[in-house]
Amino acid sequence: MEDRPVTPMAPELVVEADGDSQVMEPNRSYRIGRDPQSDVVLSDDRVSWHHAVLRPAPGHWMLEDDDSTNGTYADGQRVRLSSVGPGSVIRFGDAADGPLAVLSRPAVVRPAEVRRPSSVSHPAATSTFRRPSSVRPLPSAARTVRIGRAPDSDLVVDELVVSRRHAELRAGPDGYEIVDLGSHNGTYLNGQPVARAPVIPGDIVGIGHSAFCLVGDELQEFVDTGEVSLDVQDLAVRIDKGRRTLLDGISFPVGEKCLLAVVGPSGAGKSTLLNALTGQRPADEGTVLYDGRDLYRDYAELRQRIGLVPQDDILHSQLTVRRALGYAAELRFPEDTVKAERQARVDEVIQELGLVERVRQPIHSLSGGQRKRVSVALELLTKPSLLFLDEPTSGLDPGMDRSVMHMLRGLADDGRTVIVVTHSVLSLDVCDRLLVLAPGGKIAYYGPPDDALAYFGFEQWPEAFEAFENDAERDWSGLYRASPLHRQYISTESRQPQQIPGPARVRVAPPKPQSWGAQLRTLVRRYAAALTADRTFLIIMVALPFVMGAMAHALAGSKLTQETALNGLLILCVGAVLTGAANAVRELVKERVIYQRERAVGLSRSAYLMSKVVVLGTITVVQAVVLTMVGLFGVDLNAPGGKGVFLPPLLEITLAVALLAFTAMMLGLFVSALVRKEEVTMPLLVLLAIVQVVFCGALLKLNGVPGLEQLSWLVPSRWALGAMAGTVDLHRIVPQELTSDPLFRHSPGIWLLNMGMLVVLSAVLGFLVARLLRRHEPEIMRK
């Protein structure tokens, strides 16, 4: 078919198809088809050799089907001749999933500028960057454009994750620069956090869910509304220095408002894939494109748009639903949000998840499905566009399983992309797409759930999973790649290019939270509320110092004498160690999943650890004071001249016991950060108590014994007993070789050494706990 002369009055048109983009000039026609000589070449077999023609017409463009076999479809309707223009979506060969072409108007650019935002290769193929939500002329003279949540901002971004005074775009003689104003969640330039940086045309300035881009003399705003695509390209994960492969060449597209289920036998790599898609553990090879942007490169910014619900609950179960969500909102929203704003958002997600009748219930009293809803509600606070769930129906009965999956279906329909990893196959029919992983981390199937069993040739899912195990030599991935389903659901639907031009990928950890103090205050209040709501902990916390104190009082008698002094001081050491360590030994390991998730969305490691130290330290010191007072009330301490080294004897002993208890609490935190399971903490607590008794110096001679003496320097009770013995001059009361230890002397220098070493041990343990916490963080967060 020959080109016809046309009047060049139609607008320029950008056509994005088959991973390529080109500008259609309004001075000729453009052929579309499988013919390599076509202007737009489509390789799909459903496309005819000469399929269609785009012709310019006065003021518009015409799309003409060239007698194709399978038809041409404009905006969902089969057409023979149709007027098209910017915004039109054309499919060839099939109205539902045929090769796609998107028409748009080219950006007005200066010669030195680019035609697209940096880091986004094909804006028209994404939801966010397909067209700007608003366009603002930039000032010609030097001035400042303030961006924030406040109504009087020049550019209002009405999101709670955005600070009231968030950033400024400043115009100057040398161009524009973006300046962060100390915002809570940061300002990003091309995905990287910045405090102050120049902005050139094509750069993406990210604030909350909005992206601002300089195009000519305009500032275009693109809003991530939640309807985003995810394009996974050739992901590979290897461990043991590359000798073992967990994921092998995983590629698949996920469309907007899609609910994707990931299933497969144990060891197929489902959890590894989840970690790679969320950025928790980036893949060693391959790319994850979040609506056209490299997730790993832009993780610092895009992490705020990703919700992750782990298999274990990510909430303090002692708190009520409303209090737990309220504290989460305080941590995730800027400090300048008022309580009413946060509460309004909490009420929204409570309503959305159907939790209105449960808001005053403690989370531990909810059913499994209701607890999962609360975990999802927590993630929805910041309005994520991508929501991942790991085994959300694990342990639920079939009815509750169905209820949770229908909830996820509703979340996707409301404008989110939802990906769920599951062992359950009871409700796969509510999903849009199903990904089946075979052993070795390879794709065995990707497509509609209803077609999966027929593809495998089985009637039941257990039969399919047995086949994976019994026929391990079968190339499940190769068979799928050779099937028409691969071309239809992966090759055709994957709209993003294989490589994104732009800055080199450098994985940058998210910025430190701007308000460390605000996080600490919230964490302290939340932790205190969780502890006081735990009745078992409260009973133990109150009873333990009185019980241990009564034992110490019984052993000390009315006066510290040769028969009672050593045992009385020893029981105070044991009581302080048990009190402090018991308070802390479970506290980090039981919250590990909570910490991992909150760390991924911006929680400060040091603020988290400090909240434990402040709350547990306060409780522990109070318990130590009670322990000492009960144990020594009315007891003649028999100190030299009735005086201690620096202070009254009872006060000095109280300080030593309190500092020992605090150090033991830090030791408990160390154990809690070290272990992997909560069940092993109690045996270790017993072991800790035994070690403190053996190496404190009350039972064994340590001074001058090589090995034992040096080992005892690491035991807090060694120094605490030395301080207490120095206060009462124990060798004077109990004159024997054991009490002649130099650390027991009634000397100012020795007493300060003993107390100082307790402080040093506490600081060292705090440093070690912080390093151990780092092991449990998302890999990209480790600095």
Side-chain angles (χ1 to χ4, degrees), residues 73-288:
Y73 303 84
D75 298 321
Q77 301 297 320
R78 184 163 184 168
V79 297
R80 179 72 181 84
L81 183 67
S82 176
S83 175
V84 293
S88 296
V89 177
I90 306 169
R91 287 194 180 271
F92 304 92
D94 191 288
D97 55 18
L100 177 71
V102 179
L103 309 184
S104 61
R105 192 182 301 274
V108 179
V109 296
R110 297 169 181 168
E113 294 175 358
V114 296
R115 291 181 177 269
R116 57 173 176 79
S118 57
S119 303
V120 182
S121 181
H122 283 206
T126 74
S127 175
T128 302
F129 293 96
R130 188 169 298 163
R131 58 177 59 88
S133 58
S134 65
V135 177
R136 179 188 181 89
L138 287 169
S140 56
R143 59 156 293 188
T144 296
V145 177
R146 177 164 290 181
I147 306 172
R149 198 177 78 253
D152 60 348
S153 300
D154 300 305
L155 282 177
V156 178
V157 183
D158 191 14
E159 301 176 39
L160 289 185
V161 294
V162 176
S163 299
R164 296 181 66 83
R165 299 283 185 263
H166 197 104
E168 290 180 347
L169 182 67
R170 297 175 181 174
D174 297 325
Y176 296 94
E177 66 174 359
I178 188 70
V179 179
D180 185 78
L181 300 179
S183 65
H184 180 83
N185 287 313
T187 300
Y188 301 86
L189 183 64
N190 297 324
Q192 309 304 321
V194 295
R196 187 188 195 110
V199 180
I200 62 174
D203 281 347
I204 298 176
V205 176
I207 295 177
H209 286 72
S210 294
F212 299 92
C213 183
L214 291 177
V215 179
D217 293 325
E218 298 175 338
L219 184 64
Q220 297 185 353
E221 181 183 9
F222 302 87
V223 179
D224 182 344
T225 61
E227 297 183 12
V228 300
S229 63
L230 193 71
D231 213 297
V232 181
Q233 301 175 354
D234 300 319
L235 292 191
V237 174
R238 298 181 177 89
I239 59 175
D240 298 334
K241 297 182 179 180
R243 292 190 295 269
R244 183 182 172 198
T245 300
L246 301 183
L247 291 181
D248 190 2
I250 299 293
S251 299
F252 59 90
V254 186
E256 297 92 344
K257 302 173 70 172
C258 177
L259 174 56
L260 166 67
V262 181
V263 302
S266 297
K270 298 186 297 296
S271 296
T272 304
L273 177 62
L274 183 70
N275 289 334
L277 296 182
T278 58
Q280 297 281 101
R281 197 286 190 189
D284 300 312
E285 300 173 12
T287 305
V288 179

Side-chain angles (χ1 to χ4, degrees), residues 50 76 154 336 576 592 733 759:
H50 296 135
D154 300 305
D336 60 16
R592 185 155 295 160
I733 302 174
V759 174

